[in-house]
Amino acid sequence: MNKPIGYWIKRLDAALEAHLDSTLARLKLSRRQWQTLNVLAEAPLSPEDLDGILNPFWGGDTRRRENELAALVGRGMIIMVDDRISLSELGHVKHLEAQRLVEDSRRDISIGIGIDEYAMALSVLERMTLNAERLAG
């Protein structure tokens, strides 16, 4: 029986969440903490800009966002510098460690999928997302 794309997207998201949380647990990081470190590794951001970038991952759950960020602050991985959230030295080290694990995980998850197939899948999902967001208003 064919399942609609929403079924596969939700199932993939749940499987990715479980797999990445399990993988990142070795570093005592959650998927969302990893995403935060990964975004901040590119450049320090204002709290508003960080929220804007990570909002799709938080899904409007402000309590979860606050808890995840508080955990990173409490562990000394992110700091405020000139009203911007930045990685600390420890945050940079943890980001690099997590990046290696995530890259290995992505490679494992993508077994049997060619580079062109992967690029096409991303392109299709991006266009469908933009269409759905436009139609939702």
Side-chain angles (χ1 to χ4, degrees):
M1 176 186 225
N2 288 335
K3 304 281 188 209
I5 194 164
Y7 170 87
W8 291 112
I9 289 171
K10 287 186 178 289
R11 191 166 158 190
L12 175 60
D13 185 59
L16 286 173
E17 184 93 20
H19 177 67
L20 287 175
D21 274 344
S22 172
T23 298
L24 292 166
R26 297 180 218 165
L27 300 176
K28 297 185 170 127
L29 290 172
S30 71
R31 178 183 180 194
R32 284 168 181 77
Q33 289 169 348
W34 149 251
Q35 289 158 333
T36 303
L37 295 178
N38 197 45
V39 167
L40 292 173
E42 294 180 23
L45 294 169
S46 70
E48 297 79 21
D49 288 342
L50 182 63
D51 278 350
I53 292 168
L54 293 176
N55 189 48
F57 299 107
W58 301 121
D61 189 341
T62 56
R63 175 171 280 150
R64 184 173 197 174
R65 181 192 71 215
E66 290 169 5
N67 289 342
E68 298 283 16
L69 292 176
L72 291 172
V73 169
R75 293 178 59 199
M77 289 186 228
I78 60 174
I79 54 176
M80 287 294 286
V81 176
D82 298 328
D83 296 326
R84 294 185 154 323
I85 302 172
S86 180
L87 293 184
S88 66
E89 285 185 41
L90 175 61
H92 281 288
V93 169
K94 286 293 184 185
H95 171 257
L96 289 175
E97 291 174 6
Q99 188 173 30
R100 283 190 285 276
L101 291 176
V102 168
E103 286 171 359
D104 290 345
S105 177
R106 284 180 180 154
R107 189 173 42 256
D108 293 343
I109 288 169
S110 299
I111 288 174
I113 300 169
I115 294 170
D116 291 342
E117 288 177 294
Y118 186 81
M120 179 65 78
L122 289 180
S123 175
V124 169
L125 289 173
E126 178 183 14
R127 284 180 279 150
M128 288 183 77
T129 300
L130 294 173
N131 289 340
E133 288 173 348
R134 179 180 47 80
L135 292 169

